[in-house]
Structure formats: structure tokens, C-alpha cells
Amino acid sequence: MPLSLSKASQFVKIVSLLKPLLSWYQPSYVCGPPTSLPLKFHDFLRLALDLNDKEIKQAWSDLGNDAWAQEMPAVEELSARTKYMAVFLQHGLSRDIGVFSLEPLSRTCIDSACAQQLCADPSQLRDKELVEPLTVKITVYTKEFGSVPRFSTSRYCRHCHTRYHPNYYVHSDATLQTYYRDNLRYLQISGHCYVDINLCELFSIMMVTSCVPPPHQITL
Ligand SMILES: [Zn+2]
């Protein structure tokens, strides 16, 4: 039996939130959804939506492509994360599924020297996939939700022996961490703590405005 409209809508919304995590379960050059849900995501959705195994499998078969194709605007995504925060905390944390999960910015090694020739067409190169994920529990401080428990995952390039973290990458033998220049959403402030850049900006504005003298002290 197909899901009710309400359950189907919830399924699509939650899968959209899970898409960044689910994407790591297939090669970077595959754009569509996985053919079946990894077990921990299957269990998470089953508990989150109070459905049985058969209903989740059927929902993934019927709605997986549509859910995968959905691009939520930032405001809608924030609304969905707020709505399903309790569900992620209750059923996700024990399965390493966070409200947000921090991953390397790239799914492949950024060193072009690591790219490999395709067997079918040696004139074409394919970037080296990152593997060997290491996941740790972290706390992220956000403007919208306060402190939230989440997960941070680093991944490894077996060709150049570089491990990519959410904020930086480092070679196995190196003592220096190289930080990404762009697209950082969370800043690592200690081993297991990150701060949302929106919160950093809020603190910056508050510090600047607190230094402005009151109007009666301004000399024109
Ligand atoms: Zn590499």
C-alpha cells in the first residue's frame, strides 16, 4: 500500500536532508540515488516515520528518485532541520547520523596527479576517490540551535596518502595542516568542537558595535 500523503511528504523531506550523507555511499561520478538504502539509513527512516521494513523499501523504490532530485532552498532546509531535529537526536545519533554531518569539501583528491586513467578510455582521467572514513562525535555551536551533537568524518587518498578533514587536509608525513580557502560553513575551534560561521559573524558584529560610543559621545 502506498504511503499517505503526509508520510510521503515527510519521507521526501528527510531523505533530502540525508542526501549529503547518502552520497558518500556511491562513487562521486554517480549522480542518482543508491539502488537501495544502507541498513542504518533504512532503520533510521523506519523509526523516524514509524513505518515497517516493507513500507520503507517500497517508499525508497517509489519516491527515492524524486527525493534525491529535490533541491531545498536554504530557508526551507533550515525549517526542515528544525522540524526534524528531535527525530535526528532520538534515532540518528546512535547510528552516526547527525542533524548535520561534517565531511571533506571534496569527494575526490584535489591533487590532479592522483587522477587515474579510465580502462575504457585511457585518454580520460578520473579523480581519485577518498576512502577509509574516520568518524568522530563533535559538538557544533550554531546561531539557530545552540550547541548540537553531530559527527565529523575525514577521508583518505591512498595514492598521495593525504587525509581530508572538514576544514583542512594533511599528508601522512606532514606536520602542517592546509586549510581550505572557500566554502567553509563550520570552523573547527578544538579537536571536537566547531562553530557555525553565522555565529562567528554575529559575535564579530556584536564586538564591533559594542566598540561604537553612544550617540551623545560622537563628535561631528
Ligand atoms: Zn591524492
Side-chain angles (χ1 to χ4, degrees):
M1 179 186 292
L3 299 185
S4 68
L5 186 58
S6 170
K7 289 283 186 183
S9 173
Q10 291 178 56
F11 181 87
V12 169
K13 282 272 168 53
I14 296 177
V15 169
S16 294
L17 296 177
L18 294 173
K19 182 179 171 182
L21 270 180
L22 281 167
S23 297
W24 286 97
Y25 284 78
Q26 52 192 1
S28 61
Y29 50 83
V30 175
C31 298
T35 51
S36 61
L37 279 169
L39 181 60
K40 69 177 184 179
F41 291 91
H42 174 101
D43 287 341
F44 171 72
L45 283 162
R46 179 175 55 77
L47 293 167
L49 296 170
D50 193 23
L51 297 172
N52 60 40
D53 290 324
K54 192 174 177 182
E55 288 171 321
I56 288 295
K57 287 180 182 174
Q58 190 62 48
W60 182 250
S61 173
D62 295 342
L63 302 169
N65 281 316
D66 290 335
W68 200 261
Q70 191 177 74
E71 296 288 343
M72 279 195 289
V75 173
E76 192 177 331
E77 181 187 328
L78 177 60
S79 170
R81 290 199 189 281
T82 305
K83 180 178 180 181
Y84 295 110
M85 171 75 75
V87 169
F88 275 84
L89 293 177
Q90 184 177 358
H91 303 300
L93 288 183
S94 59
R95 296 173 174 79
D96 292 356
I97 299 173
V99 182
F100 290 96
S101 291
L102 278 62
E103 297 273 359
L105 294 184
S106 172
R107 294 178 61 189
T108 56
C109 183
I110 62 175
D111 187 344
S112 57
C114 294
Q116 297 173 306
Q117 288 182 324
L118 296 181
C119 295
D121 182 0
S123 67
Q124 297 291 317
L125 296 175
R126 178 170 286 161
D127 292 336
K128 185 73 173 173
E129 299 284 326
L130 301 181
V131 294
E132 299 180 30
L134 291 177
T135 299
V136 296
K137 282 186 176 177
I138 59 171
T139 299
V140 180
Y141 297 92
T142 69
K143 195 169 84 173
E144 294 85 5
F145 308 115
S147 63
V148 183
R150 300 184 188 176
F151 297 95
S152 165
T153 301
S154 62
R155 296 176 189 265
Y156 187 65
C157 174
R158 287 177 178 157
H159 187 265
C160 65
H161 308 293
T162 298
R163 181 160 284 277
Y164 287 80
H165 297 260
N167 271 194
Y168 61 86
Y169 59 90
V170 60
H171 188 274
S172 297
D173 298 328
T175 54
L176 293 177
Q177 300 168 345
T178 304
Y179 281 77
Y180 311 124
R181 288 175 178 269
D182 303 310
N183 300 321
L184 285 183
R185 186 168 177 181
Y186 303 99
L187 298 178
Q188 188 172 11
I189 56 173
S190 68
H192 293 258
C193 291
Y194 286 74
V195 179
D196 188 335
I197 58 167
N198 289 330
L199 185 59
C200 292
E201 288 174 0
L202 176 64
F203 287 157
S204 298
I205 293 170
M206 291 171 70
M207 290 178 70
V208 169
T209 53
S210 69
C211 294
V212 176
H216 68 274
Q217 291 184 11
I218 297 177
T219 304
L220 299 176

